[in-house]
């Protein structure tokens, strides 16, 4: 990330919300797909704050205390156990040049816009984050995928490997059929 790619930001941490008070900064951030205005306040999501803290582009305070990246990870993880996973995916997508907003349902973590399309078109991709080794119920994921594809969006599974690398998988509709043919009465599978 180049030093002038993103502005230097001053923010205030209130609970797990990051408030940006400078109007000019709000406009700059909003035009690049960061943050949102809620109840008259411009807020960054925790993963956005971690992104800016990671690259030392955010001056974050809580009262008179300065909050650094590690502290923000800790604060965000108290409210959301997947906070670090979300940050890693968010950072990877942003570095690749995508505008990224939080998901709006269907269990998706993020809405991802084609490069250069933010503000012009809706999100093309809905990204589901998953840390390697974490289990996920396929039935729930399958229902979400069906709904997402009906909306014309592409579901993507972002898996965080143990080393922290992000691997993306395009997901398509799959029908899982229960295989009862090779199961004996005890429930064991035999070949």
């Amino acid at each position: 990330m180049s030093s002038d790619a993103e502005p230097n930001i001053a923010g205030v941490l209130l609970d797990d919300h990051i408030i940006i008070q400078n109007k000019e900064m709000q406009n700059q951030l909003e035009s690049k797909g960061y943050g949102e205005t809620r109840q008259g306040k411009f807020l960054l999501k925790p993963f956005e704050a971690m992104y800016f803290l990671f690259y030392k582009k955010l001056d974050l305070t809580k009262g008179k205390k300065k909050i650094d990246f590690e502290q923000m990870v800790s604060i965000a993880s108290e409210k959301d156990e997947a906070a670090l996973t979300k940050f890693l995916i968010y950072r990877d997508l942003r570095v690749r040049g995508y505008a990224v907003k939080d998901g709006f349902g269907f269990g998706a973590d993020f809405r991802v816009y084609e490069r250069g399309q933010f503000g012009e078109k809706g999100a093309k991709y809905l990204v589901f984050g998953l840390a390697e080794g974490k289990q996920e119920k396929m039935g729930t994921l399958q229902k979400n995928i069906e709904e997402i594809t009906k909306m014309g969006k592409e579901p993507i599974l972002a898996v965080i490997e143990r080393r922290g690398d992000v691997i993306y998988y395009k997901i398509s509709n799959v029908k899982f059929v229960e295989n009862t043919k090779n199961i004996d009465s005890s429930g064991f599978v035999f070949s």
Side-chain angles (χ1 to χ4, degrees):
M1 181 169 173
S2 68
S3 60
D4 55 293
E6 303 301 340
N8 282 321
I9 308 158
V12 177
L13 180 64
L14 188 63
D15 296 322
D16 68 334
H17 294 58
I18 298 82
I19 301 168
I20 307 300
Q21 295 170 327
N22 180 302
K23 289 280 184 213
E24 187 180 321
M25 185 55 58
Q26 291 174 10
N27 293 336
Q28 282 183 40
L29 290 168
E30 197 166 35
S31 72
K32 294 180 179 183
Y34 298 105
E36 66 182 24
T37 302
R38 268 195 298 167
Q39 299 168 348
K41 290 184 171 80
F42 188 82
L43 308 172
L44 291 178
K45 297 283 183 181
F47 54 82
E48 292 172 314
M50 285 187 272
Y51 173 78
F52 286 120
L53 285 166
F54 182 82
Y55 288 109
K56 301 189 181 339
K57 290 290 182 185
L58 174 62
D59 227 3
L60 186 60
T61 56
K62 183 175 184 169
K64 294 188 191 284
K65 185 180 173 207
K66 223 174 147 91
I67 305 295
D68 66 13
F69 175 76
E70 287 79 19
Q71 291 166 319
M72 187 64 214
V73 169
S74 206
I75 292 164
S77 296
E78 285 175 20
K79 301 259 185 201
D80 179 3
E81 66 181 30
L84 186 58
T85 298
K86 287 179 183 175
F87 158 72
L88 291 169
I89 294 167
Y90 181 81
R91 180 187 67 185
D92 188 71
L93 289 166
R94 276 290 184 176
V95 167
R96 292 172 187 255
Y98 292 99
V100 182
K101 300 299 268 180
D102 60 333
F104 57 69
F106 304 108
D109 291 312
F110 299 109
R111 292 172 285 156
V112 179
Y113 298 79
E114 282 278 28
R115 290 181 188 101
Q117 301 283 315
F118 179 73
E120 296 173 23
K121 290 186 175 180
K124 181 173 182 177
Y125 309 102
L126 291 184
V127 176
F128 298 85
L130 192 63
E132 186 177 6
K134 187 173 183 262
Q135 294 186 351
E136 185 71 37
K137 291 193 186 278
M138 290 309 296
T140 307
L141 188 59
Q142 181 183 356
K143 285 180 192 150
N144 290 336
I145 291 166
E146 287 171 8
E147 291 301 315
I148 290 166
T149 51
K150 282 181 195 171
M151 293 169 39
K153 310 280 184 210
E154 292 184 36
I156 304 288
L157 184 63
V159 178
I160 306 289
E161 290 187 317
R162 284 178 174 79
R163 296 183 315 253
D165 294 335
V166 184
I167 309 295
Y168 298 95
Y169 298 94
K170 186 175 176 182
I171 310 171
S172 55
N173 273 330
V174 175
K175 293 277 185 226
F176 292 99
V177 180
E178 191 174 352
N179 181 1
T180 55
K181 184 172 62 174
N182 293 331
I183 300 177
D184 67 17
S185 60
S186 68
F188 289 102
V189 177
F190 59 94
S191 326

